[in-house]
Amino acid sequence: MAYEFSGRDELSDAELLELSKEAESEATPSTIRVMFNEFKADKTAMASAIFIVAFILLVVIGSFFINVPQIMQTDLMGYYAKPFTNYILGGDSSGRPILSQLVVGSRNSILIAIGLTAISSTFGVVYGLVSGYYGGYVDLTMQRVYDFMMIIPMLMTIIVLVTIIPHYNAITLTLLLSIFYWMGTSRLIRSSTLAESQKDYVAASKVSGTSNLKIMFREILPNISSLIIVDTTLSFAENIGVETGLSYLGFGLPDGTPSLGTLIANANDPNNITQYWWTWLPAALEIILLCLAISYVGQVLRRTANASQRRGN
């Protein structure tokens, strides 16, 4: 010990500073730092993340300045108004501004997708973890419930329920969709949990007396986090399409509530496709760009989670 103190005394301040910098450069980077480096290396993902954040802020904040009942009123003077005449993005067959509908409709679709993803992914992860970890009769019973849900014609059931529920709104629609959209996540998580539960670290935890809840949520769950991140990201993009598809068919949000699906439904009219393209094309382009951006960001999050797991964090 005396020799070490003597050695340190012989080092100059410059050498100590250099050794400190070297130690900092060789230290294990944090997860936030790894994520930042991944985004920095992938310019497309960086641009996608900026686009998603800016877009969500724009539509959410911008929608507060829009009087929805007013913009949904019929205006004969704006009948199929061309872009940059009466309105910036033109008007539809009722003379309503496309841009205002696009902002409010995007907000509705994104908030429904966020709520649906949060509820369905959380339930699906917990369901899959419990089913895969316990196995045996627990897994058998839970999988029979899963099989029963799978044979229900999901889309037709949703359409029927939306039709018979009086005065439903975005919250009702989100809860209704959540009843069916957890199954894919649960099957994915169950398969991974079955494999993880056979590994040595789980057996060692059981022997040491760790409770089942801690093993599932503090040991197995972090090891499949990259899978959860990718699934959640893809589910979010898919759920935007689910709400949009239902609204396109006329079974999504109630009449008078703007949605991306109702805007794209303008393409059902051949005249709109050939002559009044501004009534549907902006909404279609928005969905394509948004889903592509989410996919690029999801790849970076997956690589970050994989790197964290390799480091044992």
Side-chain angles (χ1 to χ4, degrees), residues 96-229:
R96 298 172 300 197
I98 295 295
L99 179 59
S100 298
Q101 293 185 68
L102 195 64
V103 172
V104 178
S106 300
R107 180 202 62 184
N108 292 338
S109 298
I110 288 173
L111 291 182
I112 288 175
I114 291 175
L116 175 58
T117 304
I119 296 173
S120 61
S121 294
T122 302
F123 186 77
V125 167
V126 174
Y127 196 92
L129 268 176
V130 173
S131 179
Y133 176 75
Y134 285 103
Y137 289 109
V138 175
D139 182 48
L140 185 65
T141 304
M142 295 179 75
Q143 289 311 300
R144 296 296 75 76
V145 175
Y146 173 88
D147 293 338
F148 171 75
M149 294 294 294
M150 284 295 293
I151 63 175
I152 297 176
M154 182 170 55
L155 185 59
M156 295 302 297
T157 305
I158 292 173
I159 289 175
V160 170
L161 292 175
V162 166
T163 306
I164 63 177
I165 294 176
H167 310 299
Y168 74 97
N169 52 25
I171 297 176
T172 311
L173 182 64
T174 303
L175 295 176
L176 184 61
L177 294 174
S178 301
I179 297 175
F180 299 96
Y181 280 89
W182 57 271
M183 293 181 285
T185 300
S186 74
R187 178 54 65 93
L188 191 66
I189 299 302
R190 172 184 173 269
S191 301
S192 298
T193 306
L194 280 172
E196 290 291 327
S197 62
Q198 305 301 319
K199 293 185 177 178
D200 293 340
Y201 73 91
V202 175
S205 297
K206 289 180 178 178
V207 171
S208 63
T210 307
S211 67
N212 292 327
L213 285 177
K214 286 185 178 179
I215 294 175
M216 282 190 288
F217 293 100
R218 295 182 59 178
E219 297 184 9
I220 294 179
L221 189 63
N223 285 324
I224 58 175
S225 59
S226 61
L227 185 66
I228 295 173
I229 290 172

Side-chain angles (χ1 to χ4, degrees), residues 22-95:
E22 185 179 348
E24 290 177 359
S25 62
E26 293 179 354
T28 303
S30 63
T31 302
I32 299 296
R33 186 67 184 175
V34 173
M35 185 184 301
F36 177 76
N37 290 336
E38 289 287 348
F39 273 112
K40 193 176 178 181
D42 192 336
K43 303 299 182 186
T44 306
M46 175 73 84
S48 299
I50 294 172
F51 169 73
I52 293 172
V53 173
F55 180 78
I56 292 178
L57 289 177
L58 180 66
V59 297
V60 172
I61 295 174
S63 63
F64 287 114
F65 298 95
I66 297 176
N67 188 331
V68 177
Q70 184 179 2
I71 67 169
M72 296 308 290
Q73 291 178 355
T74 301
D75 181 10
L76 296 179
M77 298 303 293
Y79 175 77
Y80 281 129
K82 292 184 178 180
F84 302 106
T85 54
N86 289 22
Y87 307 116
I88 295 177
L89 288 183
D92 61 8
S93 59
S94 298

